Amino acid sequence: MSDYDFIVIGAGSTGATLAARLSEHPAARVLLLEAGQNYRSEDTPPEIRDFDFLKTFGHGGLYWPTLYARLNDAQQVAVPYWRGLGVGGSSAVNAGAAVRGLPGDFDAWAEQGRRLRRPMRDIRTTGEN
Ligand SMILES: Cc1cc2nc3c(=O)[nH]c(=O)nc-3n(C[C@H](O)[C@H](O)[C@H](O)COP(=O)(O)OP(=O)(O)OC[C@H]3O[C@@H](n4cnc5c(N)ncnc54)[C@H](O)[C@@H]3O)c2cc1C
């Protein structure tokens, strides 16, 4: 382990992207650890290839099997908390629906000093600019 400059835990949406970006530095040694299965593109399970993401539900090995969550303290029964397991993480099993961020969030991050690319800052969902 000491031979690595960076160790990234989880090869999901964030971890895989982060590891890829870090490994762009020619001198950086990056280890990406994933608890679930890895596979080459041509071996991607058919349930993941299918446009209907619901086909991944109940597929052993593609989800963490024992995660449950309550929305609030009053909720009596915990419901399954679906999280992807394997390279690609939840992005391998999600619906691919795009949801725009709230303009106010981007403004607040910019006010806190975050440097955002202009197209992200200029996204407006209501039409006003
Ligand atoms: C069923 C479903 C549908 C969704 N639909 C949409 C959608 O339509 N549009 C949208 O924008 N978002 C959707 N999402 C949400 C989106 O997929 C997630 O918000 C996003 O993928 C989270 O990225 P992440 O990197 O935080 O985590 P993940 O992508 O979940 O990655 C975490 C990774 O870490 C691994 N890991 C965890 N613990 C360990 C450990 N101890 N050791 C090693 N590896 C570990 C996991 O196996 C996993 O691969 C959906 C999510 C689910 C589950």
Short mmCIF file of all heavy atoms in Angstrom, two decimals, residues 74-116:
data_model
loop_
_atom_site.label_atom_id
_atom_site.label_comp_id
_atom_site.label_asym_id
_atom_site.label_seq_id
_atom_site.Cartn_x
_atom_site.Cartn_y
_atom_site.Cartn_z
N ALA A 74 -39.64 8.87 12.58
CA ALA A 74 -41.01 8.37 12.72
C ALA A 74 -41.28 7.16 11.83
O ALA A 74 -42.23 6.42 12.07
CB ALA A 74 -42.00 9.49 12.39
N GLN A 75 -40.48 7.00 10.84
CA GLN A 75 -40.71 5.88 9.92
C GLN A 75 -40.40 4.57 10.62
O GLN A 75 -39.29 4.35 11.10
CB GLN A 75 -39.85 6.02 8.66
CG GLN A 75 -40.22 5.04 7.58
CD GLN A 75 -39.40 5.28 6.30
OE1 GLN A 75 -38.58 6.19 6.25
NE2 GLN A 75 -39.65 4.49 5.29
N GLN A 76 -41.43 3.71 10.73
CA GLN A 76 -41.29 2.49 11.52
C GLN A 76 -40.41 1.45 10.84
O GLN A 76 -39.56 0.84 11.45
CB GLN A 76 -42.68 1.89 11.78
CG GLN A 76 -43.60 2.80 12.58
CD GLN A 76 -43.13 2.93 14.02
OE1 GLN A 76 -42.86 1.93 14.67
NE2 GLN A 76 -43.04 4.15 14.50
N VAL A 77 -40.65 1.26 9.56
CA VAL A 77 -39.96 0.18 8.85
C VAL A 77 -38.89 0.77 7.94
O VAL A 77 -39.16 1.65 7.13
CB VAL A 77 -40.97 -0.63 8.01
CG1 VAL A 77 -40.26 -1.76 7.28
CG2 VAL A 77 -42.09 -1.16 8.89
N ALA A 78 -37.69 0.27 8.12
CA ALA A 78 -36.61 0.70 7.24
C ALA A 78 -36.80 0.07 5.87
O ALA A 78 -37.22 -1.08 5.75
CB ALA A 78 -35.26 0.29 7.82
N VAL A 79 -36.54 0.84 4.84
CA VAL A 79 -36.70 0.35 3.47
C VAL A 79 -35.33 0.11 2.86
O VAL A 79 -34.33 0.70 3.29
CB VAL A 79 -37.50 1.36 2.61
CG1 VAL A 79 -38.92 1.51 3.13
CG2 VAL A 79 -36.79 2.71 2.59
N PRO A 80 -35.25 -0.75 1.84
CA PRO A 80 -33.96 -0.98 1.20
C PRO A 80 -33.36 0.32 0.68
O PRO A 80 -34.07 1.17 0.13
CB PRO A 80 -34.29 -1.92 0.05
CG PRO A 80 -35.55 -2.59 0.46
CD PRO A 80 -36.32 -1.56 1.24
N TYR A 81 -32.08 0.47 0.90
CA TYR A 81 -31.36 1.65 0.43
C TYR A 81 -30.49 1.18 -0.73
O TYR A 81 -29.45 0.55 -0.53
CB TYR A 81 -30.52 2.23 1.58
CG TYR A 81 -29.78 3.49 1.24
CD1 TYR A 81 -30.45 4.61 0.78
CD2 TYR A 81 -28.40 3.57 1.40
CE1 TYR A 81 -29.76 5.78 0.47
CE2 TYR A 81 -27.71 4.73 1.11
CZ TYR A 81 -28.40 5.83 0.64
OH TYR A 81 -27.72 6.97 0.33
N TRP A 82 -30.96 1.42 -1.94
CA TRP A 82 -30.31 0.87 -3.11
C TRP A 82 -29.02 1.62 -3.42
O TRP A 82 -29.03 2.82 -3.65
CB TRP A 82 -31.25 0.96 -4.32
CG TRP A 82 -32.52 0.22 -4.14
CD1 TRP A 82 -33.76 0.76 -3.90
CD2 TRP A 82 -32.71 -1.20 -4.17
NE1 TRP A 82 -34.70 -0.22 -3.78
CE2 TRP A 82 -34.08 -1.44 -3.94
CE3 TRP A 82 -31.86 -2.28 -4.36
CZ2 TRP A 82 -34.61 -2.72 -3.90
CZ3 TRP A 82 -32.38 -3.56 -4.32
CH2 TRP A 82 -33.74 -3.77 -4.10
N ARG A 83 -27.91 0.88 -3.40
CA ARG A 83 -26.62 1.44 -3.79
C ARG A 83 -25.91 0.42 -4.66
O ARG A 83 -25.89 -0.78 -4.34
CB ARG A 83 -25.73 1.76 -2.58
CG ARG A 83 -26.33 2.66 -1.53
CD ARG A 83 -26.79 3.98 -2.06
NE ARG A 83 -25.75 4.77 -2.69
CZ ARG A 83 -25.99 5.88 -3.38
NH1 ARG A 83 -27.24 6.29 -3.56
NH2 ARG A 83 -25.00 6.55 -3.92
N GLY A 84 -25.34 0.88 -5.75
CA GLY A 84 -24.65 -0.03 -6.66
C GLY A 84 -23.40 -0.62 -6.05
O GLY A 84 -22.70 0.03 -5.27
N LEU A 85 -23.12 -1.86 -6.41
CA LEU A 85 -21.94 -2.59 -5.94
C LEU A 85 -21.17 -3.08 -7.16
O LEU A 85 -21.70 -3.84 -7.96
CB LEU A 85 -22.39 -3.78 -5.07
CG LEU A 85 -21.34 -4.81 -4.68
CD1 LEU A 85 -20.29 -4.22 -3.76
CD2 LEU A 85 -22.01 -6.00 -3.99
N GLY A 86 -19.94 -2.62 -7.30
CA GLY A 86 -19.13 -3.02 -8.45
C GLY A 86 -18.62 -1.80 -9.18
O GLY A 86 -19.03 -0.66 -8.90
N VAL A 87 -17.70 -2.05 -10.10
CA VAL A 87 -17.14 -0.92 -10.86
C VAL A 87 -18.26 -0.17 -11.57
O VAL A 87 -19.12 -0.77 -12.21
CB VAL A 87 -16.08 -1.42 -11.86
CG1 VAL A 87 -15.73 -0.33 -12.87
CG2 VAL A 87 -14.83 -1.87 -11.11
N GLY A 88 -18.27 1.13 -11.41
CA GLY A 88 -19.39 1.95 -11.91
C GLY A 88 -20.32 2.35 -10.78
O GLY A 88 -21.03 3.35 -10.89
N GLY A 89 -20.31 1.57 -9.69
CA GLY A 89 -21.12 1.90 -8.53
C GLY A 89 -22.59 2.09 -8.88
O GLY A 89 -23.15 1.37 -9.71
N SER A 90 -23.21 3.08 -8.28
CA SER A 90 -24.64 3.32 -8.52
C SER A 90 -24.89 3.83 -9.94
O SER A 90 -26.00 3.66 -10.47
CB SER A 90 -25.19 4.32 -7.50
OG SER A 90 -25.06 3.80 -6.20
N SER A 91 -23.87 4.42 -10.57
CA SER A 91 -24.09 4.89 -11.94
C SER A 91 -24.23 3.73 -12.91
O SER A 91 -24.74 3.90 -14.01
CB SER A 91 -22.97 5.83 -12.38
OG SER A 91 -21.74 5.15 -12.45
N ALA A 92 -23.79 2.52 -12.50
CA ALA A 92 -23.96 1.35 -13.36
C ALA A 92 -25.38 0.83 -13.34
O ALA A 92 -25.80 0.11 -14.23
CB ALA A 92 -22.99 0.25 -12.95
N VAL A 93 -26.13 1.18 -12.29
CA VAL A 93 -27.49 0.65 -12.15
C VAL A 93 -28.55 1.75 -12.14
O VAL A 93 -29.73 1.47 -11.92
CB VAL A 93 -27.62 -0.20 -10.87
CG1 VAL A 93 -26.74 -1.44 -10.95
CG2 VAL A 93 -27.28 0.62 -9.62
N ASN A 94 -28.14 2.99 -12.33
CA ASN A 94 -29.13 4.06 -12.21
C ASN A 94 -29.90 4.27 -13.51
O ASN A 94 -29.66 3.60 -14.52
CB ASN A 94 -28.52 5.36 -11.68
CG ASN A 94 -27.67 6.08 -12.71
OD1 ASN A 94 -27.70 5.78 -13.89
ND2 ASN A 94 -26.90 7.05 -12.25
N ALA A 95 -30.84 5.19 -13.46
CA ALA A 95 -31.73 5.37 -14.60
C ALA A 95 -31.16 6.29 -15.67
O ALA A 95 -31.68 6.36 -16.77
CB ALA A 95 -33.08 5.93 -14.12
N GLY A 96 -30.11 7.03 -15.32
CA GLY A 96 -29.53 7.95 -16.28
C GLY A 96 -30.35 9.21 -16.48
O GLY A 96 -30.12 9.95 -17.44
N ALA A 97 -31.29 9.46 -15.58
CA ALA A 97 -32.09 10.68 -15.68
C ALA A 97 -31.24 11.87 -15.25
O ALA A 97 -30.53 11.80 -14.25
CB ALA A 97 -33.33 10.58 -14.79
N ALA A 98 -31.30 12.95 -16.02
CA ALA A 98 -30.53 14.15 -15.69
C ALA A 98 -31.40 15.12 -14.90
O ALA A 98 -32.51 15.44 -15.32
CB ALA A 98 -30.03 14.82 -16.96
N VAL A 99 -30.91 15.53 -13.77
CA VAL A 99 -31.64 16.50 -12.94
C VAL A 99 -30.75 17.72 -12.76
O VAL A 99 -29.63 17.62 -12.26
CB VAL A 99 -31.99 15.91 -11.56
CG1 VAL A 99 -32.77 16.91 -10.73
CG2 VAL A 99 -32.76 14.61 -11.71
N ARG A 100 -31.24 18.86 -13.19
CA ARG A 100 -30.44 20.08 -13.09
C ARG A 100 -30.27 20.52 -11.64
O ARG A 100 -31.20 20.43 -10.85
CB ARG A 100 -31.11 21.21 -13.86
CG ARG A 100 -30.92 21.09 -15.36
CD ARG A 100 -31.49 22.28 -16.05
NE ARG A 100 -31.17 22.27 -17.46
CZ ARG A 100 -31.55 23.19 -18.31
NH1 ARG A 100 -32.28 24.20 -17.89
NH2 ARG A 100 -31.22 23.12 -19.57
N GLY A 101 -29.07 21.02 -11.35
CA GLY A 101 -28.85 21.57 -10.03
C GLY A 101 -29.62 22.87 -9.86
O GLY A 101 -30.03 23.51 -10.83
N LEU A 102 -29.82 23.23 -8.59
CA LEU A 102 -30.55 24.46 -8.31
C LEU A 102 -29.61 25.66 -8.48
O LEU A 102 -28.50 25.66 -7.95
CB LEU A 102 -31.09 24.43 -6.88
CG LEU A 102 -32.09 23.31 -6.60
CD1 LEU A 102 -32.44 23.26 -5.12
CD2 LEU A 102 -33.35 23.52 -7.44
N PRO A 103 -30.05 26.69 -9.22
CA PRO A 103 -29.20 27.86 -9.44
C PRO A 103 -28.69 28.46 -8.14
O PRO A 103 -27.54 28.89 -8.05
CB PRO A 103 -30.12 28.84 -10.19
CG PRO A 103 -31.12 27.97 -10.86
CD PRO A 103 -31.33 26.79 -9.94
N GLY A 104 -29.55 28.47 -7.11
CA GLY A 104 -29.15 29.04 -5.83
C GLY A 104 -27.96 28.33 -5.22
O GLY A 104 -27.11 28.94 -4.56
N ASP A 105 -27.89 27.00 -5.43
CA ASP A 105 -26.75 26.24 -4.90
C ASP A 105 -25.46 26.67 -5.59
O ASP A 105 -24.43 26.87 -4.94
CB ASP A 105 -26.97 24.74 -5.13
CG ASP A 105 -28.02 24.16 -4.19
OD1 ASP A 105 -28.33 24.81 -3.17
OD2 ASP A 105 -28.53 23.07 -4.49
N PHE A 106 -25.53 26.82 -6.93
CA PHE A 106 -24.33 27.24 -7.65
C PHE A 106 -23.89 28.64 -7.22
O PHE A 106 -22.71 28.93 -7.06
CB PHE A 106 -24.58 27.21 -9.17
CG PHE A 106 -24.70 25.81 -9.71
CD1 PHE A 106 -25.93 25.27 -10.02
CD2 PHE A 106 -23.57 25.01 -9.89
CE1 PHE A 106 -26.05 23.97 -10.52
CE2 PHE A 106 -23.67 23.72 -10.38
CZ PHE A 106 -24.92 23.20 -10.69
N ASP A 107 -24.89 29.53 -7.03
CA ASP A 107 -24.56 30.89 -6.58
C ASP A 107 -23.88 30.86 -5.21
O ASP A 107 -22.91 31.58 -4.97
CB ASP A 107 -25.84 31.74 -6.52
CG ASP A 107 -26.40 32.01 -7.91
OD1 ASP A 107 -25.65 31.84 -8.90
OD2 ASP A 107 -27.59 32.35 -8.01
N ALA A 108 -24.44 30.02 -4.31
CA ALA A 108 -23.87 29.95 -2.96
C ALA A 108 -22.44 29.42 -3.00
O ALA A 108 -21.56 29.92 -2.29
CB ALA A 108 -24.75 29.06 -2.08
N TRP A 109 -22.19 28.39 -3.85
CA TRP A 109 -20.83 27.86 -3.93
C TRP A 109 -19.88 28.91 -4.50
O TRP A 109 -18.74 29.02 -4.05
CB TRP A 109 -20.82 26.62 -4.83
CG TRP A 109 -21.54 25.45 -4.22
CD1 TRP A 109 -21.63 25.12 -2.90
CD2 TRP A 109 -22.29 24.45 -4.92
NE1 TRP A 109 -22.38 23.99 -2.73
CE2 TRP A 109 -22.81 23.56 -3.95
CE3 TRP A 109 -22.59 24.22 -6.25
CZ2 TRP A 109 -23.59 22.45 -4.29
CZ3 TRP A 109 -23.36 23.12 -6.59
CH2 TRP A 109 -23.86 22.25 -5.62
N ALA A 110 -20.36 29.69 -5.47
CA ALA A 110 -19.52 30.74 -6.05
C ALA A 110 -19.21 31.81 -5.00
O ALA A 110 -18.08 32.31 -4.91
CB ALA A 110 -20.21 31.36 -7.25
N GLU A 111 -20.23 32.15 -4.18
CA GLU A 111 -20.01 33.15 -3.13
C GLU A 111 -19.01 32.65 -2.09
O GLU A 111 -18.32 33.43 -1.44
CB GLU A 111 -21.34 33.49 -2.45
CG GLU A 111 -22.21 34.41 -3.31
CD GLU A 111 -23.65 34.46 -2.81
OE1 GLU A 111 -23.89 34.05 -1.66
OE2 GLU A 111 -24.52 34.90 -3.58
N GLN A 112 -18.94 31.33 -1.90
CA GLN A 112 -17.98 30.76 -0.95
C GLN A 112 -16.58 30.69 -1.54
O GLN A 112 -15.66 30.21 -0.90
CB GLN A 112 -18.43 29.35 -0.53
CG GLN A 112 -19.69 29.34 0.32
CD GLN A 112 -20.27 27.93 0.45
OE1 GLN A 112 -19.65 26.95 0.05
NE2 GLN A 112 -21.46 27.85 1.00
N GLY A 113 -16.44 31.14 -2.78
CA GLY A 113 -15.12 31.18 -3.38
C GLY A 113 -14.82 30.06 -4.34
O GLY A 113 -13.71 29.96 -4.86
N ARG A 114 -15.81 29.14 -4.55
CA ARG A 114 -15.56 28.06 -5.51
C ARG A 114 -15.45 28.64 -6.91
O ARG A 114 -16.23 29.53 -7.28
CB ARG A 114 -16.69 27.03 -5.50
CG ARG A 114 -17.01 26.46 -4.15
CD ARG A 114 -15.89 25.57 -3.63
NE ARG A 114 -16.33 24.75 -2.53
CZ ARG A 114 -16.48 25.19 -1.29
NH1 ARG A 114 -16.25 26.45 -1.00
NH2 ARG A 114 -16.86 24.38 -0.34
N ARG A 115 -14.48 28.15 -7.65
CA ARG A 115 -14.34 28.58 -9.04
C ARG A 115 -15.14 27.63 -9.91
O ARG A 115 -14.79 26.48 -10.07
CB ARG A 115 -12.87 28.59 -9.45
CG ARG A 115 -12.09 29.72 -8.77
CD ARG A 115 -10.61 29.63 -9.05
NE ARG A 115 -10.34 29.52 -10.47
CZ ARG A 115 -9.31 28.82 -10.96
NH1 ARG A 115 -8.50 28.18 -10.15
NH2 ARG A 115 -9.10 28.78 -12.25
N LEU A 116 -16.26 28.12 -10.43
CA LEU A 116 -17.13 27.30 -11.26
C LEU A 116 -17.01 27.74 -12.71
O LEU A 116 -16.83 28.92 -13.00
CB LEU A 116 -18.59 27.44 -10.81
CG LEU A 116 -18.87 27.10 -9.35
CD1 LEU A 116 -20.32 27.40 -9.02
CD2 LEU A 116 -18.55 25.65 -9.08
#
